[in-house]
Amino acid sequence: MAADAPAAVDAPARAIQRSTRQLALVLAAVQDSGPTHPTADAIWTTVRRVLPRISRGTVYRNLQRLAADGRIAIAHVGGRTVRWDPTLAPHDHFVCERCGRVDDLGSELPAASVAAAERSGHRVRAHATVLYGRCASCRTIA
Amino acid sequence: MAADAPAAVDAPARAIQRSTRQLALVLAAVQDSGPTHPTADAIWTTVRRVLPRISRGTVYRNLQRLAADGRIAIAHVGGRTVRWDPTLAPHDHFVCERCGRVDDLGSELPAASVAAAERSGHRVRAHATVLYGRCASCRTIA
DNA sequence: CTCGGTGCAAAGGGTTTGCATACAT
DNA sequence: ATGTATGCAAACCCTTTGCACCGAG
């Protein structure tokens, strides 16, 4: 997804893992989230409609695990709140600075910057490009 | 500068502003930070060597103001901590996932993604590209 | 003299973690 | 039976804020 700092981009296929109702529901919540790029809290709210006693901690732990397993992707989109993305293929993001909406874009490899980084001796594992601005619905407002 | 979510990219030249020792020292700390892309706390530590009683709050407030005035830039580089950048010209970043080091790169306009966003009716104001991987010193380790 | 900036300390918001218990295997 | 995953609550980390005092203009 060309988006994340630590976290995994490829699926290291974790060790044994118990299949719990909580894990399944967290995964489903991300996969069914459409283009909303939900926050952990949004996912918690969604899952709680089915499993009212699930804790925030469990949601966070399961999101981390799913990302480590390469089953969902992390989207660091600026700001302090991490967003979660069901789309595993690399892609860029557009963020509306007014309403917070996050849109998926295609993936564009920053070839020149990657080359520059490698020229400095660095090994590049992933890249993330985020565009900031006003979305179609917000561009006329304020 | 191809890096920041909210924040300003152009310098709206703020209203009157008192020149305090604190403000000057915070600005100097960022400008003299070399390629380290310091965190607010690192800047606080630096300034405190000269002004031991300066508070974190003042550092944060001054960093925000300097950014709003376009005198320094924000670098959202993934992760929870904001980093500050004396380089105002747009440029991409490389982040080492092992040691946290942040390197400046050139600026590469994601033309195709910008076009895609505009095709969707969005107005793009800024863009940020971050590369993740192992820096030259860390690529052999672990 | 004024009122914007500062220091201090407390509050905030998102995320992580320690611990006893519940449950998948 | 075994030990991982859960729920709960407290801890953490970074950042923001309220308030009384200080000091730049």
Side-chain angles (χ1 to χ4, degrees):
Chain A
M1 15 61 41
D4 56 25
V9 96
D10 25 41
R14 258 193 156 252
I16 22 61
Q17 161 174 335
R18 293 189 181 173
S19 102
T20 64
R21 202 149 146 58
Q22 288 83 342
L23 181 69
L25 285 167
V26 168
L27 175 57
V30 176
Q31 289 180 334
D32 301 349
S33 63
T36 60
H37 300 80
T39 61
D41 231 71
I43 293 159
W44 183 54
T45 301
T46 299
V47 174
R48 242 184 331 160
R49 290 203 281 266
V50 179
L51 223 69
R53 302 188 59 77
I54 192 173
S55 68
R56 268 197 190 74
T58 296
V59 170
Y60 277 94
R61 277 182 295 237
N62 281 326
L63 286 171
Q64 298 267 82
R65 155 162 299 187
L66 289 167
D69 291 351
R71 308 226 273 160
I72 62 176
I74 302 179
H76 288 288
V77 117
R80 263 155 267 152
T81 314
V82 169
R83 289 174 166 272
W84 300 89
D85 198 329
T87 303
L88 299 175
H91 60 281
D92 300 338
H93 288 116
F94 169 85
V95 183
C96 178
E97 295 174 318
R98 188 177 161 278
C99 69
R101 150 182 182 179
V102 179
D103 268 32
D104 284 338
L105 302 170
S107 177
E108 186 165 6
L109 183 73
S113 287
V114 170
E118 288 174 345
R119 213 176 304 127
S120 302
H122 308 324
R123 184 177 353 127
V124 178
R125 203 213 81 230
H127 62 96
T129 294
V130 184
L131 272 38
Y132 300 101
R134 288 291 192 108
C135 75
S137 343
C138 290
R139 63 183 305 173
T140 51
I141 308 173
Chain B
M1 23 50 60
D4 60 23
V9 96
D10 24 42
R14 258 194 157 252
I16 22 62
Q17 163 172 332
R18 292 186 183 174
S19 100
T20 63
R21 201 149 145 60
Q22 287 83 344
L23 182 69
L25 285 168
V26 168
L27 175 57
V30 176
Q31 289 180 335
D32 301 349
S33 63
T36 60
H37 300 80
T39 62
D41 232 70
I43 293 160
W44 182 54
T45 300
T46 300
V47 175
R48 244 187 326 165
R49 290 203 282 266
V50 179
L51 223 71
R53 301 188 60 77
I54 191 173
S55 68
R56 268 198 190 76
T58 295
V59 170
Y60 277 96
R61 277 182 294 238
N62 282 327
L63 286 170
Q64 298 267 84
R65 156 162 299 187
L66 289 166
D69 291 352
R71 308 226 270 161
I72 62 176
I74 302 179
H76 288 290
V77 118
R80 271 167 266 163
T81 314
V82 169
R83 289 172 167 272
W84 300 89
D85 197 330
T87 303
L88 299 175
H91 60 280
D92 301 338
H93 288 115
F94 169 86
V95 182
C96 178
E97 295 174 319
R98 189 178 160 278
C99 68
R101 151 182 182 178
V102 179
D103 268 33
D104 284 338
L105 302 171
S107 177
E108 186 164 6
L109 182 72
S113 288
V114 170
E118 288 174 344
R119 215 176 303 125
S120 302
H122 309 323
R123 185 181 349 129
V124 178
R125 202 213 82 232
H127 62 96
T129 295
V130 184
L131 272 38
Y132 301 100
R134 288 291 191 110
C135 75
S137 342
C138 290
R139 65 182 303 172
T140 52
I141 308 173

